[in-house]
Amino acid sequence: MTERPLVWIPRPVHTDALARLRPHADVRPGYGADGATFDEISDRVAAILLRTERVDGAMLRRAPRLRIVARHGVGLDTVDVDTARELGIAVTTTPAANSRSVAEHAMTLLLAVRRGIGIAIRNEGDTRAAIRGRELSGGVLGLVGFGRIAREVAAIASHGFGMRVLAHDPMVPVSVMTDAGVEPADLPTLLSLAENLSLHVPLVEETRDLIGLPELMALPEGAVVVNTSRGGILDESALLDAVRRGHLAGAGLDVTTVEPLPSDHPLRAEPSVVITPHTGAQTEQALRRMATEAADHIIARIT
Ligand code: NAD
């Protein structure tokens, strides 16, 4: 009888993924009572279902039967992709699995800021008098980047909240935006109109500090900025400045340049800034989709 392939899972993932893998492979966790280290299974391992752990070239070379490293989520910065390619080991991601969750989180942050939830939770002074909310309905939402997450945000904002949605993304055909009921705009036009601004671009050289003080001051007075993309795209000291000047009504941040943002960071002292610790994709559905899609990539490769 041929030996069943072995799948190593260094950190816990949604249990549905384990159930999906078990008919096809032996599943060995890297945690818990029967947990195995990589060194213990390296000569047998056929697949790794990876969250954010590091898999370097030396590990890949020590695993002669390894066929695939399946990432749970996106981003390949923890895997030595060049060595994997050289050795014929597939490396996969699950880029669309959490888009809806992150989009809903962006809307959550926007609503939280617009309705003064951060101020209400602090409960200092006459909170009721301090809060003057603003409906999203009829407002303008500007999206920087129009990829997977931004498209979900656009659908929720226009269909669910009756917002006018503009987007700036030089890599996306205009027809994709207009078909989605979104108005294409260059960045200066978008900034001049966006009462609500939401960022959905990757962090690369061209997008680092894309939104600094001039861009924030170009927004209409009383605008709200939401960032669920990556810290580093929005200049945090400029944001603090624009909030303190009263130019912005507030901001919602799921991502920051340092994560988690230290408790003494000045942005945390601003009641109109709502900060979550990179939890945009932390939903039951996204965690399940990321894990089961990664399991499917493994099954396709090892059977
Ligand atoms: P995507 O690749 O589908 O879309 C990104 C879009 O940005 C692309 O359409 C691209 O053309 C556009 N873009 C790139 N540079 C641009 C620029 N200079 N100006 C305008 N547009 C530009 O990515 P996605 O899945 O929508 O993810 C967007 C961001 O969300 C990424 O930064 C990702 O890391 C982040 N993200 C965050 C979480 C979270 O938990 N908060 C989870 C998943 C993804």
Side-chain angles (χ1 to χ4, degrees), residues 78-278:
T78 60
V79 182
D80 184 340
V81 182
D82 292 339
T83 304
R85 193 177 300 122
E86 178 198 323
L87 298 172
I89 298 166
V91 182
T92 59
T93 59
T94 60
N98 58 25
S99 305
R100 181 72 190 191
S101 293
V102 180
E104 289 188 9
H105 198 76
M107 293 306 293
T108 303
L109 289 172
L110 180 56
L111 284 164
V113 177
R114 279 289 177 214
R115 301 309 293 269
I117 303 296
I119 297 165
I121 288 170
R122 276 170 202 245
N123 195 27
E124 292 160 354
D126 188 352
T127 301
R128 190 157 187 270
I131 295 173
R132 175 67 62 90
R134 202 178 175 85
E135 292 179 356
L136 297 187
S137 176
V140 178
L141 173 65
L143 302 172
V144 181
F146 197 63
R148 286 174 291 256
I149 296 170
R151 290 173 207 194
E152 296 278 352
V153 173
I156 301 168
S158 56
H159 301 145
F161 289 94
M163 300 183 87
R164 176 183 171 199
V165 183
L166 277 67
H168 168 67
D169 190 327
M171 271 73 83
V172 170
V174 164
S175 61
V176 171
M177 296 188 191
T178 50
D179 287 353
V182 168
E183 298 168 45
D186 57 33
L187 191 57
T189 306
L190 181 135
L191 293 173
S192 71
L193 295 170
E195 297 157 341
N196 307 280
L197 182 75
S198 192
L199 308 179
H200 301 286
V201 293
L203 178 61
V204 289
E205 218 175 294
E206 307 87 71
T207 59
R208 186 170 291 282
D209 290 334
L210 182 69
I211 305 298
L213 195 58
E215 289 74 25
L216 293 173
M217 296 309 288
L219 293 168
E221 180 134 18
V224 167
V225 177
V226 169
N227 188 12
T228 56
S229 60
R230 282 288 180 265
I233 291 163
L234 172 64
D235 178 339
E236 284 158 10
S237 48
L239 177 71
L240 184 65
D241 195 359
V243 168
R244 283 185 174 163
R245 288 186 201 197
H247 184 69
L248 296 182
L253 308 176
D254 188 46
V255 289
T256 44
T257 39
V258 177
E259 292 182 4
L261 196 68
S263 53
D264 61 351
H265 192 284
L267 277 172
R268 288 207 184 270
E270 294 299 325
S272 63
V273 178
V274 176
I275 300 167
T276 51
H278 208 138

